[in-house]
Amino acid sequence: MTRSRRLLLLLLAVLLLGGAGTAVVLRAAARAEQTRPGDPVAVPGSVALDGGGLVFVNGAPGPHRGAVVSVPGGEPRAERTASGLTCRRFHAAAGTGLCLSSAPGALAQDNRAVIVDSGLRPVRSFPLAGTPSRARVSPSGRFAAWTVFVSGESYSSAFFSTRTAIADTRTGALEPDLEKFSVTMDGRPYSAADVNFWGVTFSGDDDTFYATLATAGQTHLVKGSISRRSVTTLAKNVECPSLSPDETRIAYKKRVQRGASLWREHVLDLRTLREQPLAEKRSVDDQALWLDDRTLAYGLPADGAADTTDLWTVRADGSGEPGLLAPAASSPARPVS
């Protein structure tokens, strides 16, 4: 076979694959626009991050599926106002938002981290090395952090790798990989080829952060410093930490059954390192959000709806019962506390 014929066959194969991929995307889009009786209603409008409401990613079928939407703070199941911003993951604080987007490309997904202002207008954009997983903005809006999967598709996979970055939203300076930070474990410098980080949560001092570090088959809660480019381990079996507004506690998912990849939501007192299991007994694979100092919100798979999550709440002291916050929703944020 001549070289020109091989090139022609290769070109035809690429075009066929591209056409098949486009057809899949179009069919998925068509399914997304098919609404059902009882689905949450979303209407186009203006969404602002300084309005005092609750914002999240809309998961309801229809033309606004995947859009960042807002509802009044005290009416989480009210009609949703849908923006034109579409995200896989979203978070916001102090009028600054972080949108992790994923769009079809010619040969691969185009994954990006987009910093947006209070009107959801793009300010900065960074290419992502993999599939969006976690997003957080610091309380002041100064820093944004994101985690992506660079192999595998979930934390329950036997083989996965993550990459976590922190960006200065004002200057655009980027720490592209927390694996470059120095690690202190049990009081000693630590280094290993299998170190992974994910799930950053920020303190209000624009320097301190917490995250998950995984190595040697174990996960650790670490406390880090952006300016010193270093982290120190604090506790084991902590994943996807979320710092409380009063900065005294960490909400997190704790692995309670490794073989079945089951997690239980807990809260850790940072002063005593005592942990409190929460009333939610279902397996939560999410980075919880503190709605206030007493209440956590998190996503769980929706019954009978593929690739859709519902938002639930539970008390942070271990009492009470879980309650449904908003159906067909994910990535909640309270931009103004």
Side-chain angles (χ1 to χ4, degrees):
M1 183 182 295
T2 65
R3 180 182 179 185
S4 60
R5 185 172 178 81
R6 287 196 299 269
L7 289 174
L8 178 60
L9 290 174
L10 177 60
L11 178 60
L12 288 173
V14 169
L15 291 174
L16 286 171
L17 287 172
T22 300
V24 169
V25 170
L26 291 175
R27 285 197 297 270
R31 287 196 300 269
E33 294 186 4
Q34 294 174 358
T35 59
R36 301 166 300 179
D39 283 332
V41 175
V43 297
S46 177
V47 174
L49 299 181
D50 52 7
L54 178 69
V55 298
F56 50 83
V57 175
N58 180 46
H64 304 295
R65 181 178 173 90
V68 174
V69 300
S70 66
V71 293
E75 301 178 69
R77 301 193 208 179
E79 182 177 83
R80 301 171 178 182
T81 301
S83 71
L85 182 67
T86 300
C87 310
R88 288 279 295 272
R89 295 287 186 272
F90 182 80
H91 190 249
T96 297
L98 170 61
C99 171
L100 304 188
S101 65
S102 185
L107 296 176
Q109 290 290 105
D110 179 22
N111 300 315
R112 306 195 69 81
V114 182
I115 309 297
V116 298
D117 64 14
S118 61
L120 301 186
R121 293 175 291 264
V123 176
R124 302 184 187 278
S125 179
F126 303 87
L128 297 179
T131 305
S133 174
R134 305 293 182 220
R136 272 298 187 270
V137 176
S138 66
S140 70
R142 171 72 184 277
F143 290 99
W146 55 85
T147 298
V148 300
F149 289 113
V150 292
S151 62
E153 289 294 333
S154 76
Y155 298 103
S156 62
S157 173
F159 303 99
F160 73 89
S161 179
T162 60
R163 187 168 300 169
T164 297
I166 296 178
D168 188 319
T169 65
R170 299 177 189 173
T171 67
L174 179 68
E175 286 285 359
D177 191 352
L178 288 192
E179 292 176 23
K180 306 301 182 184
F181 280 33
S182 62
V183 177
T184 299
M185 182 179 294
D186 299 328
R188 300 178 181 178
Y190 180 84
S191 178
D194 69 344
V195 165
N196 263 320
F197 287 93
W198 64 81
V200 168
T201 184
F202 292 99
S203 173
D205 64 5
D206 281 342
D207 185 62
T208 305
F209 67 92
Y210 297 85
T212 297
L213 179 154
T215 183
Q218 291 187 323
T219 57
H220 305 259
L221 173 67
V222 296
K223 182 178 182 179
S225 166
I226 298 171
S227 61
R228 293 193 293 272
R229 303 182 77 248
S230 64
V231 301
T232 301
T233 59
L234 297 179
K236 293 182 179 180
N237 199 4
V238 173
E239 298 185 55
C240 298
S242 182
L243 183 64
S244 63
D246 63 11
E247 301 195 2
T248 64
R249 293 156 294 162
I250 289 282
Y252 65 100
K253 62 178 194 178
K254 177 179 180 179
R255 192 181 292 271
V256 293
Q257 187 174 338
R258 183 169 298 275
S261 298
L262 296 178
W263 293 276
R264 175 87 181 268
E265 280 295 302
H266 285 67
V267 167
L268 180 74
D269 187 311
L270 288 172
R271 290 166 295 193
T272 64
L273 295 185
R274 290 182 178 178
E275 60 181 20
Q276 172 65 58
L278 303 189
E280 177 59 79
K281 295 181 172 62
R282 292 168 293 184
S283 182
V284 178
D285 184 9
D286 196 12
Q287 185 173 17
L289 174 82
W290 291 81
L291 293 175
D292 51 46
D293 276 321
R294 302 174 302 279
T295 313
L296 291 161
Y298 50 92
L300 282 171
D303 291 336
D307 301 323
T308 302
T309 61
D310 297 330
L311 289 177
W312 290 75
T313 63
V314 72
R315 292 183 62 86
D317 62 2
S319 66
E321 297 292 335
L324 181 65
L325 177 69
S330 64
S331 294
R334 296 291 296 268
V336 179
S337 58

